[in-house]
């Protein structure tokens, strides 16, 4: 019944208050949307990358924005909030369904459009420093969740409210800068509805574009943890928030002593890469691009790679949310294999047999990135046609970022 809810959502919304089984169906639908929106978001991103490589920046902006939107909607589902077409619903503190448009007229919340509602609600979530969150369980370092490592971090906040405030601040530095998403929406509107004859798109040549995308790909490589390299950067950012908060509260400690304290307290082997990133405030190319403006305020140029970067980060966040929910509810790969198999076939990732371990989907990507590096040593392709005709190893696998969405589920 869950799959029938959306089609009937608008027509039978009032029935939710009269038919208890519909309330359960809506909750079931909400849980399904969590990972379906996430997978759809990665699909939008894959198509955006394809458009980017084919010299269609306006299409890139359009599709990348919808990747962001799907990711945001997926995250809200994990918080018990459903965003549907011009309608919203949520699970309230009493575990009942609350639908704003069904309230008495005097108490009714003014309905907003899908896009506005999504970003407005996420902004309210960010500003709420009291509501508990499981976010730190979405990310791992050396096989342990960020939450498990809190007790080993010197001068970490020792109250729930203090931890929540730090988490929300950390998220704003790399994932939930709502102003950026609103800018992306404006860029999407312009790209989607206006003729782009006079638009100035950042003139990256193909080789530079591919080099940047190669760096994005490398950060998504799965190993013992689904996104080990990217999570190292994110963990360094979290440590920076804890460190800055400690200094703000009067603790005198160097960055070097701070991170050594983490290693000593946790029993972790010293990680020279993490130490360097934390101490020197190093950023990956993905994080750097995500912080930029999609539209340069001075020149009006559109930077397609910035919205791509933000979409990747938000989708990685949602993969963590899905993985957490699956583990919490003992959902295995076998339980979802019927859907995963259909996705892989539909997206052209495999033919008849999907890999036992979804992290094996990285192998083709890794081989292709190595081939790219060798190709670039002797070639500078002028356009995608030239690339495909001179680089015999080129494959559409390169644009299949949906692969990262699959292994990122942690199944």
């Amino acid at each position: 019944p869950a799959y029938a809810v959306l089609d009937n959502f608008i027509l039978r919304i009032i029935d939710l208050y009269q038919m208890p089984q519909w309330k359960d169906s809506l909750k079931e639908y909400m849980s399904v949307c969590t990972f379906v929106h996430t997978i759809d978001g990665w699909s939008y991103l894959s198509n955006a990358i394809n458009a980017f490589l084919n010299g269609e920046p306006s299409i890139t902006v359009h599709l990348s924005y919808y990747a962001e939107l799907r990711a945001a909607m997926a995250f809200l589902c994990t918080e018990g909030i459903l965003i549907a077409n011009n309608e919203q619903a949520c699970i309230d503190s009493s575990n009942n369904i609350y639908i704003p448009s069904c309230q008495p007229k005097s108490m009714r919340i003014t309905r907003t459009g899908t896009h506005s509602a999504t970003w407005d609600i996420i902004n309210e979530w960010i500003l709420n420093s009291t509501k508990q969150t499981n976010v730190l369980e979405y990310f791992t370092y050396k096989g342990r969740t960020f939450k498990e490592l809190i007790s080993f971090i010197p001068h970490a906040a020792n109250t729930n409210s203090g931890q929540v405030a730090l988490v929300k601040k950390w998220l704003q530095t790399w994932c939930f800068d709502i102003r950026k998403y609103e800018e992306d929406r404006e860029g999407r509107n312009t790209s989607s509805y206006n003729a782009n004859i006079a638009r100035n798109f950042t003139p990256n040549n193909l080789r530079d574009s591919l080099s940047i995308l190669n760096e994005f790909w490398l950060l998504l490589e799965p190993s013992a943890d689904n996104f080990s390299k990217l999570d190292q950067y994110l963990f360094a950012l979290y440590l920076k928030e804890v460190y800055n908060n400690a200094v703000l509260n009067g603790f005198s400690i160097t960055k070097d002593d701070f991170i050594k304290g983490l290693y000593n307290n946790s029993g972790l082997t010293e990680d020279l890469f993490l130490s360097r990133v934390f101490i020197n405030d190093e950023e990956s190319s993905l994080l750097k691009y995500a912080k930029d403006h999609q539209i340069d305020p001075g020149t009006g140029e559109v930077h397609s790679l910035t919205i791509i970067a933000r979409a990747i980060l938000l989708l990685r966040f949602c993969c963590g949310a899905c993985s957490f929910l699956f583990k919490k509810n003992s959902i295995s790969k076998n339980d979802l294999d019927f859907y995963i198999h259909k996705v892989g076939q539909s997206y052209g990732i495999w033919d008849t047999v999907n890999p036992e371990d979804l992290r094996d989907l990285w192998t083709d990507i890794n081989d292709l990135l190595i081939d790219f590096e060798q190709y670039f040593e002797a070639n500078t392709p002028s356009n995608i046609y030239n690339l495909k005709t001179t680089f015999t190893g080129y494959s559409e696998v390169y644009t299949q970022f949906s692969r990262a969405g699959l292994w990122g589920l942690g199944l």
Side-chain angles (χ1 to χ4, degrees):
Y3 303 104
V5 173
L6 184 64
D7 293 336
N8 294 281
F9 194 89
I10 305 300
L11 295 176
R12 302 191 64 184
I13 199 72
I14 303 300
D15 290 346
L16 289 169
Y17 284 89
Q18 301 168 352
M19 301 170 61
Q21 67 270 29
W22 271 68
K23 295 183 181 182
D24 291 337
S25 294
L26 186 57
K27 292 175 183 177
E28 181 183 342
Y29 179 81
M30 197 180 299
S31 64
V32 169
C33 281
T34 298
F35 73 94
V36 174
H37 275 321
T38 299
I39 294 299
D40 285 349
W42 283 103
S43 178
Y44 273 112
L45 179 66
S46 296
N47 285 287
I49 300 296
N50 187 59
F52 182 72
L53 292 179
N54 285 330
E56 299 177 302
S58 61
I59 303 300
T60 304
V61 170
H62 179 96
L63 294 174
S64 297
Y65 170 76
Y66 275 101
E68 290 178 337
L69 184 68
R70 286 303 188 102
M73 293 164 71
F75 162 66
L76 288 176
C77 282
T78 69
E79 295 289 313
I81 301 169
L82 176 66
I83 303 291
N85 186 24
N86 291 319
E87 192 68 66
Q88 299 93 46
C90 71
I91 302 173
D92 64 21
S93 57
S94 300
N95 201 31
N96 292 316
I97 297 292
Y98 172 82
I99 303 172
S101 62
C102 289
Q103 301 308 304
K105 191 170 183 179
S106 61
M107 300 171 59
R108 190 172 299 175
I109 298 174
T110 301
R111 184 191 304 174
T112 58
T114 305
H115 300 255
S116 298
T118 300
W119 304 119
D120 288 348
I121 291 170
I122 286 183
N123 192 50
E124 289 299 317
W125 182 85
I126 281 286
L127 295 176
N128 187 334
S129 61
T130 59
K131 186 180 184 299
Q132 294 300 297
T133 175
N134 297 308
V135 164
L136 291 183
E137 297 190 62
Y138 300 171
F139 305 89
T140 55
Y141 173 73
K142 301 293 184 183
R144 303 191 208 180
T145 68
F146 288 11
K147 183 178 180 179
E148 290 173 318
L149 292 168
I150 285 180
S151 61
F152 305 117
I153 301 175
H155 310 299
N158 55 14
T159 64
N160 287 333
S161 60
Q163 290 177 10
V164 170
L166 276 176
V167 168
K168 299 290 180 73
K169 191 174 180 182
W170 166 64
L171 287 174
Q172 285 179 291
T173 65
W174 68 272
C175 187
F176 279 136
D177 185 341
I178 302 303
R179 291 171 300 176
K180 291 289 194 303
Y181 295 121
E182 290 173 345
E183 288 177 5
D184 292 346
R185 181 187 173 195
E186 291 303 312
R188 189 272 308 185
N189 288 342
T190 302
S191 296
S192 301
Y193 306 133
N194 295 349
N196 290 287
I197 298 172
R199 292 302 294 282
N200 293 317
F201 293 93
T202 305
N204 286 326
N205 62 48
L206 183 61
R207 179 172 178 168
D208 289 344
S209 297
L210 289 171
S211 295
I212 295 165
L213 287 173
N214 288 355
E215 293 176 23
F216 290 0
W217 260 128
L218 288 169
L219 285 168
L220 300 177
E221 178 184 358
S223 56
D225 300 320
N226 297 329
F227 299 104
S228 298
K229 184 66 71 174
L230 177 55
D231 281 9
Q232 279 182 294
Y233 280 103
L234 297 180
F235 189 46
L237 275 180
Y238 183 70
L239 291 175
K240 179 180 177 181
E241 289 300 327
V242 176
Y243 176 80
N244 289 342
N245 186 67
V247 172
L248 187 65
N249 284 289
F251 292 101
S252 179
I253 184 172
T254 66
K255 279 190 169 184
D256 188 57
D257 288 340
F258 178 87
I259 198 163
K260 284 181 178 177
L262 166 67
Y263 298 138
N264 292 333
N265 296 339
S266 63
L268 290 167
T269 303
E270 184 175 355
D271 183 341
L272 296 179
F273 178 82
L274 178 67
S275 297
R276 190 185 75 239
V277 171
F278 168 69
I279 293 172
N280 298 329
D281 292 326
E282 292 185 14
E283 283 187 312
S284 69
S285 57
L286 186 63
L287 292 166
K288 286 179 181 177
Y289 273 91
K291 287 184 176 181
D292 200 359
H293 290 279
Q294 182 204 138
I295 301 177
D296 189 299
T299 65
E301 286 188 344
V302 179
H303 301 257
S304 302
L305 283 167
T306 64
I307 187 170
I308 288 173
R310 284 197 281 273
I312 290 174
L313 289 172
L314 195 52
L315 286 165
R316 185 270 167 267
F317 177 88
C318 289
C319 280
C322 291
S323 181
F324 169 75
L325 290 176
F326 293 155
K327 290 175 183 176
K328 185 177 181 181
N329 293 282
S330 301
I331 295 174
S332 68
K333 182 175 178 289
N334 288 338
D335 296 322
L336 297 176
D337 210 40
F338 73 97
Y339 178 76
I340 290 172
H341 184 68
K342 182 178 179 181
V343 166
Q345 279 192 317
S346 299
Y347 293 175
I349 298 175
W350 56 69
D351 183 13
T352 56
V353 181
N354 53 297
E356 182 118 4
D357 188 340
L358 292 170
R359 290 174 296 184
D360 291 342
L361 294 173
W362 169 256
T363 303
D364 293 340
I365 300 295
N366 188 59
D367 292 343
L368 188 56
L369 295 179
I370 293 172
D371 289 344
F372 261 124
E373 186 176 355
Q374 294 173 348
Y375 171 78
F376 282 150
E377 289 178 358
N379 299 274
T380 303
S382 57
N383 53 52
I384 193 69
Y385 176 83
N386 182 241
L387 173 74
K388 291 180 178 179
T389 53
T390 60
F391 178 26
T392 57
Y394 181 79
S395 168
E396 297 300 327
V397 165
Y398 188 72
T399 65
Q400 291 179 344
F401 275 73
S402 294
R403 292 172 175 242
L406 290 171
W407 72 60
L409 296 175
L411 294 169

